[in-house]
């Protein structure tokens, strides 16, 4: 329609025989319009044959109309307030000929013709009122004889419309508008008419085309609102004016370049955006909807759309340089304009073809920030690495440490609300592309962006992000993809069944990169036949892509900012301690640094810990947990999971092979998010729906098994993630855990599996490359183990297996106790040694004479050594405290643990395999804590290294009391000639009295002492017997009298069962010939056992007789 009208107005009568929508036709029409417009601007005469004919036709029609008007013949003019019937008459506008084609006028004329026939007086009045209304809307007039105050202050007089009357009418609206927008600024100045009174708003003289036309639409809306009845003639006339203005906007955009020096497309975009001081005079929030109307008119072809929108899109991409969170009005407005345009299926296909859609170097992760979409994703309160290199001043928080918490919170919430708006509009931007023919281009952008930023997932991510997109960019991308996942974010949503696990199969054709990514089960689990049998889909549905892309983006997004936030919080605490410790000449500098760090912490917190985003991400991971559990329980290599199946109580012996296609970061990133959320935004966890917590707990418990997740590192993350469901005593959090605890303690899978999973992991981390992290892992195991032990999770039931197989070194609980004792021994020894070394340096520092003899370099070396010693000593003390505490509560009476069960646990500590190791460790450290030599460990500040000697002493004493009913334990104490001495318990009681310990504790310790004394007397008799015993009664390894002799099958050597069992616990070979050996292989020597027993009884009787 617009091209046709434009060609009429510019005098083109050529028939367009080419395809209206073809690119050549569009270019040809645009060039015709442009050339004609340039000729008009240059004042050239239009002399084509077609125009001459049109002029003649127009002059004749105008003459006939003038004649009728001068005679005022009834019936020769339309009734007042109605439109003249459409004719083929033409009007002269400026130097161009205008063919009037107005479908809207036709429709209106038909409606008006149904009204009553007005009187001649009414006709004159209505014609005048319509003319005045047109003047008010278009700010134009055909005469200078205007009676105030019926019109605005100024109007533009049109002298060359070809009309012979001074009354504006609806049938010449198109000509009038075209003449008005064709006038230059000097022409407008010359043609201003002072109407006397009225409103002085300056819009009549508006020289810019689009501001004028938008204002016309707005004024037409005002006139329409004045008359509420649809049939009112003035209302219908105002609608006609409005439609004419909309048509003219489209016509102008069709030939944007032809209106030089003006740029109508730029003007229109400015009309839809706020300026620096708010909204410009001509812009309005309704201008976007006005533009939508222009695009959606019935006669607009796809070719018209491309011509109209292309210059707008060019302006939009240039405007994207202004996008930022601090310039939020412009940013949101630009996104609004984009989404308005992209709602059209023709326009949305143009977006990926625009310059700047993809970066020049697609392997440069940071380059994606400068793409069209990347500009919006880069909006963040988190400053980029480049900002840290300059004198950065936060645009969001101004010395916020001096503000009240309420003001700071309000600022954070304001920026979080803006981020919400940007993320939702960006989600819409992507969604519109996804559901269009440009879907592949959008998928390609996301895939390429993720691939270019994969180094963010590596260890030490904070050092690996220099060539990657910023934290804010990745957080926004993740949030946007989570928004797109909302339709299937529910653990029971049947759409989860459409997620194709083959997306990351070895033979996958997916766009998202996954090569080199570890899987939950080793990839070798899948045979070639398995891979072939599962098939190879040509493409994957949107739900599958969105699910995998969201998982990957979340992994890449949160690792680095959480790490940086943790470092910021640590630095803030350290700096606060320096400030609290006193003044000094650097106090002002330190305070300034503290405030700068506090502002940076607020910036990171605002974006990273957005509560709504955290809640959505938590729901995504819960949904993922449900899907993972269901596919892990499925049979076969590739089967569709039944998402309605209740896996909460389901147990399977083996996981599905499908886990060999699922990236391991599906599990690890879920755990890391839970852990970080616990530390920094615990309320998000507590407010989570209880039913959804059940899915997370079940997922963690299912995948904590070594059968499901062979990697101990990943399982250690799972155990740490389980700590989010119990009270956080270490940080003394003020957030309640009631909701999480209730879900955890009532989860049947957790109650059934937790104990074995914890103990198995404790044992597994001893081996392999994870040894260096074992104490870190065990620290978290201790946290959850203590809670589970005291809350009826049946972990103590595992000790029953020891009672039945006390000499079997493969029993899980036996291996656990052995490692527990080894850890306690190692950690306490390292901690005390560290204290001793720190003490030496402190003594040297206190000796000024000796300290001053050292040169500066030596002093610095000593101080660095002491700092490192303190760091290591702190770690060792913390872990030693947890290990001793674990032994203490495991051997104590606990809620839900019967006395019989407790005795089974204590028995595990005193089996022949472990008893001596256990007792030797306790005796040694008890002696170190109570002896006079402990002064060598007494540094200036025990709290600096987490050393709590009083607490440690009481814990060890409690263990002695807990074990006093075990004869083997008491006997082992009496046999320990290294650390035990007769006054040990008396010295301990003296120390406890100084600590004001309960008298009952001291009394029970005295009972232990008395029992040990009795055992010592018996032990002396045993030693005497050993000296007299025949050599074949003695164990060849230790030289002690054998109690239960057994034959080693390969070496044929007879040894004591307890001695060889202890040896095999650490080295499963025959000590005499290095052949493999286990306790099931040894052969009892019952005859020799009876012989030794008879001899022993006879010798003891002789002793008694003497």
């Amino acid at each position: 329609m617009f091209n046709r009208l434009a060609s009429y107005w510019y005098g083109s009568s050529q028939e367009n025989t080419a395809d209206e929508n073809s690119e050549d036709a569009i270019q040809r029409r645009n060039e015709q319009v442009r050339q004609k417009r340039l000729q008009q601007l240059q004042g050239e005469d239009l002399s084509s044959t077609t125009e001459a004919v049109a002029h003649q036709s127009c002059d004749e029609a105008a003459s006939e109309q003038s004649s009728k008007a001068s005679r005022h013949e009834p019936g020769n003019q339309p009734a007042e307030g109605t439109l003249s019937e459409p004719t083929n008459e033409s009007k002269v506008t400026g130097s161009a000929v205008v063919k009037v084609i107005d479908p809207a006028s036709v429709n209106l004329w038909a409606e008006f013709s149904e009204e009553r026939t007005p009187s001649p007086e009414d006709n004159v009045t209505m014609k005048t009122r319509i003319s005045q209304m047109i003047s008010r809307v278009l700010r134009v007039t055909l005469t200078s004889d205007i009676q105030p105050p019926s019109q605005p202050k100024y109007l533009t007089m049109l002298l060359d419309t070809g009309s012979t009357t001074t009354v504006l009418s609806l049938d010449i609206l198109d000509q009038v508008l075209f003449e008005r927008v064709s006038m230059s600024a000097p022409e407008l100045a010359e043609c201003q008419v002072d109407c006397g009174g009225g409103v002085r708003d300056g819009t009549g003289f508006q020289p810019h085309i689009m501001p004028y036309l938008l204002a016309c639409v707005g004024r037409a809306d005002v006139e329409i609102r004045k008359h509420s009845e649809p049939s009112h003639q003035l209302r219908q006339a105002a609608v006609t004016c409005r439609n004419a203005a909309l048509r003219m906007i489209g016509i102008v955009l069709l030939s944007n370049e032809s209106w030089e020096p003006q740029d109508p497309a730029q003007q229109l975009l400015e009309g839809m955006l706020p300026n620096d001081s708010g909204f410009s005079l001509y812009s309005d929030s309704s201008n976007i909807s006005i533009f939508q109307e222009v695009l959606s008119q019935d006669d607009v072809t796809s070719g018209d759309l491309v011509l109209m929108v292309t210059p707008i899109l060019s302006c939009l991409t240039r405007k994207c340089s202004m996008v930022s969170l601090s310039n939020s009005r412009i940013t949101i407005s630009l996104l609004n304009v984009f989404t308005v345009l992209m709602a059209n299926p023709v326009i949305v296909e143009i977006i990926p073809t625009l310059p700047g859609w993809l970066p020049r170097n697609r392997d440069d992760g940071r380059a994606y920030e400068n793409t069209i979409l990347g500009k919006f994703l880069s909006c963040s309160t988190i400053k980029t690495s480049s900002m840290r290199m300059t004198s950065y001043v936060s645009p969001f928080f101004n010395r916020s440490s001096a503000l009240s918490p309420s003001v700071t919170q309000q600022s954070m919430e304001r920026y979080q609300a803006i981020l919400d708006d940007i993320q939702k509009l960006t989600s819409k931007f992507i969604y519109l592309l996804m559901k269009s023919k440009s879907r592949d281009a959008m998928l390609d952008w996301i895939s390429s962006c993720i691939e270019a930023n994969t180094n963010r997932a590596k260890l030490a991510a904070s050092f690996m992000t220099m060539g990657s997109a910023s934290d804010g960019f990745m957080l926004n991308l993740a949030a946007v993809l989570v928004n797109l996942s909302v339709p299937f974010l529910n653990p029971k949503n049947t759409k989860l069944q459409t997620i194709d696990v083959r997306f990351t199969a070895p033979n996958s054709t997916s766009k998202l990169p996954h090569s080199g990514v570890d899987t939950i089960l080793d990839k070798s689990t899948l045979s070639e036949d398995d891979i072939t049998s599962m098939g190879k889909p040509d493409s994957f549905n949107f739900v599958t892509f969105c699910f995998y892309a969201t998982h990957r983006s979340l992994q890449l997004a949160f690792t680095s900012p959480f790490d940086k936030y943790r470092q910021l919080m640590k630095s803030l605490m350290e700096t606060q301690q320096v400030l609290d410790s006193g003044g000094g000449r650097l106090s002002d500098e330190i305070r300034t640094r503290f405030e700068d760090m506090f502002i940076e912490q607020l910036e990171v917190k605002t974006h990273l810990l957005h509560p709504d985003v955290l809640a959505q991400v938590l729901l995504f991971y819960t949904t993922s947990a449900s899907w993972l559990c269901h596919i892990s329980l499925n049979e076969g290599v590739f089967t569709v999971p039944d998402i309605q199946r209740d896996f909460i109580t389901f147990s399977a012996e083996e996981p599905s092979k499908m886990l060999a296609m699922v990236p391991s970061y599906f599990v690890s990133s879920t755990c890391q998010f839970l852990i970080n959320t616990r530390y920094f935004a615990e309320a998000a966890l507590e407010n989570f729906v209880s039913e959804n917590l059940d899915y997370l707990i079940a997922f963690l418990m299912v995948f904590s098994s070594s059968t499901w997740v062979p990697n101990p590192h990943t399982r250690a993350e799972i155990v740490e993630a389980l700590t989010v469901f119990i009270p956080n005593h270490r940080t003394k959090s003020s957030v309640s855990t009631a909701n999480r605890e209730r879900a955890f303690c009532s989860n049947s899978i957790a109650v059934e599996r937790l104990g074995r999973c914890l103990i198995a992991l404790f044992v597994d981390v001893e081996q392999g490359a994870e040894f260096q992290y074992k104490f870190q892992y065990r620290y978290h195991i201790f946290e959850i183990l203590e809670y589970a032990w005291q809350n009826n999770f049946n972990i103590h039931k595992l000790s029953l297996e020891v009672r039945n197989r006390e000499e079997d070194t493969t029993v899980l609980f036996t291996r656990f106790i052995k490692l527990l004792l080894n850890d306690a021994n190692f950690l306490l020894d390292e901690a005390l040694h560290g204290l001793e070394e720190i003490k030496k340096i402190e003594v040297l520092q206190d000796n000024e004479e000796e300290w001053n003899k050292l040169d500066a370099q030596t002093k610095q070396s000593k101080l660095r050594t002491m700092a490192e010693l303190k760091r290591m000593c702190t770690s060792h003390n913390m872990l030693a405290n947890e290990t001793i505490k674990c032994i203490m509560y495991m051997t104590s009476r606990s809620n839900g643990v019967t006395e019989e069960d407790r005795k089974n646990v204590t028995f595990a500590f005193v089996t022949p395999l472990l008893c001596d190791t256990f007792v030797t460790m306790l005796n040694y450290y008890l002696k170190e804590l109570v002896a006079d030599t402990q002064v060598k460990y007494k540094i200036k500040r025990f709290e600096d290294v987490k050393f709590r000697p009083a607490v440690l002493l009481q814990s060890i004493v409690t263990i002695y009391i807990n074990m006093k009913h075990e004869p083997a334990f008491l006997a082992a104490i009496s046999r320990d000639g290294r650390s035990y001495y007769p006054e040990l318990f008396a010295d301990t009681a003296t120390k406890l009295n100084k600590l004001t310990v309960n008298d009952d504790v001291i009394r029970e310790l005295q009972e232990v002492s008395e029992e040990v004394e009795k055992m010592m007397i018996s032990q002396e008799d045993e030693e005497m017997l050993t000296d007299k015993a025949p050599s074949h009664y003695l164990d060849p390894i230790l030289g002690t009298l054998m109690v239960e002799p057994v034959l080693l099958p390969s070496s044929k050597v007879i040894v004591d069962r307890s001695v060889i069992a202890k040896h095999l616990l650490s080295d499963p070979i025959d000590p005499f010939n290095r052949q493999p050996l286990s306790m099931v292989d040894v052969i009892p020597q019952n005859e020799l056992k009876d012989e030794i027993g008879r001899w022993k009884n006879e010798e003891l009787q002789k002793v008694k007789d003497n």
Side-chain angles (χ1 to χ4, degrees):
M1 179 189 81
F2 292 132
N3 280 291
R4 188 166 65 252
L5 283 174
S7 66
Y8 275 124
W9 268 318
Y10 291 124
S12 173
S13 61
Q14 298 175 1
E15 291 295 324
N16 185 6
T17 57
D19 181 3
E20 187 180 24
N21 296 331
S22 70
E23 184 177 349
D24 291 342
I26 292 170
Q27 291 179 351
R28 184 166 57 253
R29 291 199 302 270
N30 193 33
E31 181 62 20
Q32 290 172 353
V33 171
R34 193 180 73 83
Q35 290 297 333
K36 295 299 184 181
R37 176 58 190 154
L38 287 175
Q39 292 174 12
Q40 185 185 33
L41 290 174
Q42 295 167 1
E44 296 178 2
D45 293 330
L46 305 178
S47 55
S48 68
T49 304
T50 305
E51 290 171 0
V53 173
H55 269 294
Q56 181 180 1
S57 174
C58 182
D59 290 341
E60 292 173 358
S63 175
E64 177 65 19
Q65 182 177 355
S66 176
S67 175
K68 291 182 179 180
S70 64
R71 292 195 299 271
H72 297 286
E73 296 177 2
N76 290 336
Q77 297 185 42
E80 303 278 353
T82 66
L83 298 175
S84 58
E85 286 211 25
T87 66
N88 292 328
E89 66 179 0
S90 301
K91 299 287 183 182
V92 178
T93 303
S95 56
V97 177
V98 181
K99 182 78 172 180
V100 180
I101 302 176
D102 189 355
S105 299
V106 175
N107 294 337
L108 284 174
W109 183 89
E111 293 177 8
F112 290 150
S113 63
E114 296 176 0
E115 298 185 3
R116 67 176 179 83
T117 303
S119 65
E121 292 79 7
D122 290 339
N123 289 343
V124 174
T125 303
M126 185 54 68
K127 280 188 67 173
T128 303
R129 292 175 65 189
I130 289 176
S131 178
Q132 291 175 345
M133 186 270 292
I134 294 174
S135 289
R136 288 195 299 273
V137 172
L138 305 187
R139 293 294 195 259
V140 295
T141 181
L142 299 181
T143 177
S144 59
D145 184 16
I146 301 173
Q147 298 298 321
S150 60
Q151 298 292 350
K153 175 68 175 174
Y154 293 106
L155 295 175
T156 299
M157 185 160 179
L158 304 179
L159 301 177
D160 197 15
T161 63
S163 175
T164 59
T165 178
T166 60
V167 178
L168 289 166
S169 61
L170 297 176
D171 58 347
I172 61 170
L173 283 180
D174 293 326
Q175 296 95 320
V176 167
L177 273 174
F178 189 80
E179 174 65 23
R180 169 59 183 81
V181 299
S182 299
M183 296 177 73
S184 63
E187 290 174 332
L188 286 169
E190 287 182 13
C191 295
Q192 288 297 293
V193 177
D194 189 342
C195 305
V199 181
R200 185 191 299 267
D201 62 4
T203 57
F205 183 65
Q206 176 57 263
H208 298 107
I209 296 172
M210 281 302 168
Y212 166 74
L213 291 173
L214 290 172
C216 288
V217 176
R219 290 190 291 265
D221 287 335
V222 172
E223 296 293 334
I224 291 170
R225 287 194 294 270
K226 288 180 182 178
H227 310 286
S228 58
E229 293 185 10
S231 61
H232 197 287
Q233 296 180 32
L234 286 177
R235 177 186 176 89
Q236 295 178 343
V239 170
T240 304
C241 289
R242 190 179 190 279
N243 291 338
L246 292 176
R247 284 197 304 276
M248 188 55 63
I249 292 173
I251 292 168
V252 170
L253 288 176
L254 280 172
S255 54
N256 188 70
E257 294 180 358
S258 302
W259 297 89
E260 294 178 353
Q262 295 198 48
D263 187 345
Q266 177 74 18
Q267 294 169 7
L268 178 59
L269 182 59
E270 293 290 347
M272 293 184 281
L273 301 176
N275 60 22
D276 293 338
S277 60
F279 284 91
S280 60
L281 289 174
Y282 63 87
S283 73
D284 185 87
S285 60
S286 65
N287 287 344
I288 294 179
S289 60
I290 291 174
F291 187 42
Q292 282 181 291
E293 291 184 68
V294 173
L295 298 178
S296 60
Q297 293 184 86
D298 294 337
D299 288 348
V300 176
T301 66
S302 58
D304 294 335
L305 283 173
V306 173
L307 285 174
M308 286 191 287
V309 172
T310 299
I312 297 285
L313 292 176
S314 298
C315 296
L316 268 176
T317 53
R318 292 195 300 268
K319 282 284 186 182
C320 285
S321 62
M322 303 171 63
V323 168
S324 69
L325 187 64
S326 55
N327 197 9
S328 58
R329 290 179 304 165
I330 287 289
T331 300
I332 292 173
S333 297
L334 285 171
L335 272 170
N336 269 322
V337 175
F338 264 117
T339 54
V340 166
L341 295 174
M342 292 166 64
N344 188 287
V346 175
I347 299 171
V348 73
E349 295 179 30
I350 304 174
I351 301 297
T353 66
L354 294 173
W357 172 250
L358 281 170
R360 292 182 179 178
N361 182 4
R362 297 179 61 165
D363 296 328
D364 182 358
R366 180 161 295 178
Y368 285 84
E369 295 180 355
N370 295 318
T371 62
I372 295 172
L373 184 56
K375 292 286 187 181
F376 299 103
L377 292 173
S378 299
C379 293
S380 176
T381 54
I382 304 175
K383 62 184 178 184
T384 62
S385 56
S386 60
M387 294 176 179
R388 293 188 178 90
M389 304 299 180
T390 61
S391 54
Y392 171 78
V393 178
S394 172
F396 310 108
F397 301 97
N398 183 20
R399 296 296 176 195
S400 299
S401 57
L403 300 177
S404 67
S406 61
V407 174
T408 301
Q409 185 63 30
Q410 289 173 3
S411 298
M412 291 174 59
E413 290 175 356
R414 180 170 68 255
Y415 294 123
Q416 286 172 345
I418 296 172
L419 282 170
D420 265 344
D421 292 338
I422 293 173
Q423 289 168 359
K424 288 175 182 176
L425 284 170
T426 308
S427 301
K428 185 177 181 181
F429 183 110
I430 296 176
Y431 174 74
L432 289 170
L433 281 164
M434 286 286 199
K435 72 172 189 175
S436 72
K437 294 181 180 179
S438 299
R439 178 178 185 269
D440 287 343
M442 188 68 254
L443 296 180
D444 182 54
W445 192 98
I446 294 174
S447 301
S448 300
C449 179
I450 289 175
E451 183 175 16
N453 288 283
T454 50
N455 60 342
R456 291 178 59 93
K458 298 177 182 177
L459 293 176
S462 57
F463 300 102
M464 300 297 298
T465 56
M466 296 303 292
S468 304
S470 64
D471 292 336
F473 175 96
M474 294 306 299
L475 287 171
N476 282 329
L477 176 61
V480 165
L481 289 174
V482 170
N483 284 340
L484 292 172
S485 303
V486 166
F488 60 84
L489 286 193
N490 186 309
K492 294 182 180 180
N493 195 315
T494 53
K495 287 183 180 180
L496 297 180
Q497 296 176 176
T498 66
I499 297 174
D500 195 334
V501 73
R502 295 172 296 176
F503 191 80
T504 49
N507 61 345
S508 173
T509 58
S510 67
K511 290 180 176 291
L512 198 66
H514 58 272
S515 59
V517 175
D518 292 335
T519 51
I520 296 176
L521 290 181
D522 193 88
K523 294 177 182 177
S524 62
T525 306
L526 291 174
S527 65
E528 290 296 329
D529 291 340
D530 292 333
I531 296 173
T532 303
S533 65
M534 74 175 67
K536 183 179 179 181
D538 295 330
S539 62
F540 296 93
N541 59 45
F542 172 72
V543 173
T544 298
F545 178 87
C546 193
F547 179 73
Y548 277 85
T550 304
H551 248 302
R552 187 63 162 160
S553 66
L554 287 171
Q555 181 208 17
L556 302 178
F558 279 97
T559 302
S560 175
F562 267 131
D563 180 58
K564 291 174 184 176
Y565 189 70
R566 185 180 292 104
Q567 293 297 328
L568 270 173
M569 297 298 289
K570 181 180 178 181
S571 298
L572 278 171
M573 291 176 61
E574 292 172 350
T575 309
Q576 183 67 61
Q577 290 173 358
V578 173
L579 288 172
D580 293 342
S581 64
R585 60 186 181 86
L586 295 177
S587 290
D588 291 340
E589 181 181 340
I590 294 173
R591 184 170 297 279
T592 300
R593 173 168 169 73
F594 176 81
E595 291 178 350
D596 289 342
M597 285 192 297
F598 188 77
I599 290 174
E600 185 175 1
Q601 177 258 343
L602 287 176
E603 291 174 333
V604 177
K605 181 179 180 181
T606 299
H607 197 160
L608 177 62
L609 303 183
H610 189 328
D612 293 342
V613 174
L614 293 180
Q616 284 290 81
V617 174
L618 198 55
L619 181 58
F620 176 85
Y621 279 131
T622 304
T623 303
S624 171
S626 172
W627 180 78
L628 282 169
C629 284
H630 280 99
I631 67 164
S632 71
L633 301 176
N634 269 26
E635 298 178 357
V637 178
F638 175 67
T639 53
V640 177
D642 179 7
I643 212 66
Q644 299 296 327
R645 180 183 186 182
D646 183 13
F647 71 86
I648 298 296
T649 58
F650 185 83
S651 178
E653 294 296 328
E654 296 288 337
S656 168
K657 284 186 176 183
M658 286 195 283
L659 291 183
M661 293 182 279
V662 179
S664 60
Y665 65 77
F666 275 35
V667 177
S668 59
S669 60
T670 302
C671 295
Q672 285 301 318
F673 183 80
L674 290 172
I675 293 164
N676 285 312
T677 305
R678 181 204 191 191
Y679 286 132
F680 305 123
E682 193 170 7
L685 288 167
E686 186 62 16
N687 296 332
F688 203 47
V689 179
S690 298
E691 182 182 0
N692 289 339
L693 289 175
D694 283 336
Y695 283 94
L696 281 174
I697 295 168
F699 157 72
L700 293 173
M701 291 312 310
V702 168
F703 282 82
S704 62
S705 167
S706 58
T707 308
W708 264 253
V709 180
N711 187 335
H713 175 76
T714 305
R715 284 162 49 217
E717 290 180 316
I718 292 173
V719 169
E720 187 177 358
L722 285 170
T723 62
V724 308
F725 300 100
I726 65 174
N728 193 350
H729 297 302
R730 291 171 179 171
T731 60
K732 294 181 174 59
S733 172
S734 60
V735 178
S736 170
T737 58
N739 185 37
R740 285 168 286 163
E741 281 190 85
R742 186 165 49 250
F744 189 45
C745 293
S746 62
N747 189 282
S748 59
I749 296 183
V751 173
E752 176 189 350
R753 297 190 177 195
L754 181 62
R756 183 166 293 276
C757 289
L758 291 175
I759 301 301
L761 179 61
F762 192 98
V763 172
D764 288 349
V765 295
E766 186 71 20
Q767 307 297 325
E770 286 73 27
F771 176 80
Q772 58 181 319
Y773 303 110
K774 71 173 185 177
F775 291 119
Q776 176 186 337
Y777 296 159
R778 287 173 180 171
Y779 185 77
H780 300 297
I781 293 174
F782 284 135
E783 184 177 5
I784 191 73
L785 184 63
E786 180 181 6
Y787 181 86
W789 193 275
Q790 297 171 351
N791 286 274
N792 302 324
F793 278 75
N794 299 324
I795 301 177
H796 54 274
K797 297 293 185 183
L798 296 174
S799 63
L800 183 60
E801 194 175 2
V802 180
R803 176 75 75 174
N804 299 330
R805 299 160 57 193
E806 61 180 274
E807 295 172 347
D808 190 346
T809 58
T810 63
V811 174
L812 180 63
F813 201 76
T814 300
R815 296 170 66 195
F816 165 67
I817 297 298
K818 178 180 181 293
L819 294 173
L820 193 66
L821 297 177
N822 289 347
D823 282 359
N825 211 5
F826 170 80
L827 293 167
L828 285 170
D829 188 60
E830 289 293 310
L832 293 179
H833 176 72
L835 289 170
E836 190 175 357
E837 294 300 314
I838 293 170
K839 176 69 175 179
K840 290 177 182 178
I841 298 176
E842 287 184 345
V843 170
L844 180 60
Q845 279 184 303
D846 292 340
N847 188 333
E848 293 186 10
E849 182 178 353
E850 293 297 324
W851 182 256
N852 290 332
K853 289 180 181 179
L854 303 176
D855 57 63
Q857 185 176 357
T858 304
K859 288 180 181 179
Q860 287 297 323
S861 177
K862 292 285 186 183
L863 292 175
R864 284 195 298 269
T865 300
M866 185 165 68
E868 179 63 17
L869 283 169
K870 285 185 175 181
R871 187 185 69 80
M872 295 298 297
C873 197
T874 299
S875 175
H876 290 142
N877 276 315
M878 290 175 63
L879 289 163
N881 292 337
E882 291 295 330
T883 306
I884 293 298
K885 183 170 70 170
C886 178
I887 298 173
M888 181 185 70
Y889 66 68
M890 289 180 71
T891 57
S892 300
R893 291 178 173 85
S894 304
N895 293 332
V897 180
T898 66
E899 185 62 20
E900 182 180 357
D901 287 336
R902 187 179 78 88
K903 288 182 178 180
N904 286 333
V905 174
T906 56
F907 175 78
F909 282 89
V910 296
T911 60
L913 303 175
L914 302 173
C915 188
D916 287 341
T917 303
F918 180 37
V919 169
T920 302
M921 182 268 295
L922 289 176
N923 288 345
Y924 175 75
Y925 292 110
L926 182 63
K927 183 189 74 170
E928 291 296 312
L929 291 170
V930 302
D932 293 336
T933 56
Q934 67 164 321
V935 68
K936 64 184 179 183
Y937 307 128
K938 194 170 184 179
I939 65 174
K940 292 179 180 179
R941 287 172 55 87
F942 280 150
E943 58 269 27
D944 288 348
V945 293
K946 306 296 183 185
F947 183 54
R948 302 182 179 91
V951 174
L952 185 59
L953 175 63
Q954 293 179 64
S955 297
I956 291 176
V957 168
T958 302
I959 295 171
Y960 276 104
I961 294 172
N962 292 341
M963 299 297 298
K964 68 179 182 180
H965 66 278
E966 291 288 349
F969 176 75
L970 299 172
I973 295 175
S974 67
R975 291 196 303 268
D976 180 19
R978 176 190 174 202
S979 301
Y980 178 76
Y981 58 96
E983 296 80 16
L984 177 60
F985 292 119
D987 291 343
T988 303
T990 302
K991 182 70 91 174
L992 292 174
N993 276 321
K994 293 179 180 179
L995 298 174
T996 64
V997 174
N998 190 293
D999 290 341
D1000 291 340
V1001 174
I1002 298 175
R1003 177 180 53 77
E1004 291 189 82
L1005 183 63
Q1006 182 60 35
E1007 293 176 3
V1008 174
S1009 178
E1010 293 171 357
E1011 292 297 324
V1012 171
E1013 288 179 7
K1014 295 178 183 178
M1015 287 290 180
M1016 286 190 69
I1017 297 173
S1018 176
Q1019 181 67 28
E1020 290 175 357
D1021 294 341
E1022 289 282 344
E1023 291 176 357
M1024 181 185 66
L1025 291 177
T1026 302
D1027 294 337
K1028 295 181 180 181
S1031 60
H1032 65 283
Y1033 286 2
L1034 300 179
D1035 176 77
I1037 297 176
L1038 295 182
T1040 57
L1041 188 64
M1042 290 189 290
V1043 177
E1044 193 171 355
V1046 294
L1047 177 68
L1048 306 185
S1050 60
S1051 64
K1052 307 302 181 182
V1053 177
I1054 296 175
V1055 297
D1056 196 9
R1057 176 182 286 272
S1058 64
V1059 175
I1060 193 62
K1062 189 183 300 182
H1063 166 79
L1064 294 179
L1065 190 63
S1066 57
D1067 193 5
I1069 60 173
D1070 187 322
F1072 299 99
N1073 62 6
R1074 313 299 295 173
Q1075 295 298 311
L1077 179 66
S1078 67
M1079 286 303 296
V1080 296
D1081 299 324
V1082 300
I1083 304 170
Q1085 301 297 296
N1086 294 328
E1087 291 183 4
L1088 180 59
K1089 176 182 177 181
D1090 293 341
E1091 182 182 336
I1092 293 173
R1094 288 192 299 271
W1095 178 86
K1096 181 178 177 181
N1097 290 334
E1098 291 173 359
E1099 292 299 318
L1100 288 175
Q1101 186 62 42
K1102 292 177 182 179
V1103 172
K1104 290 181 181 180
D1105 293 342
N1106 293 332

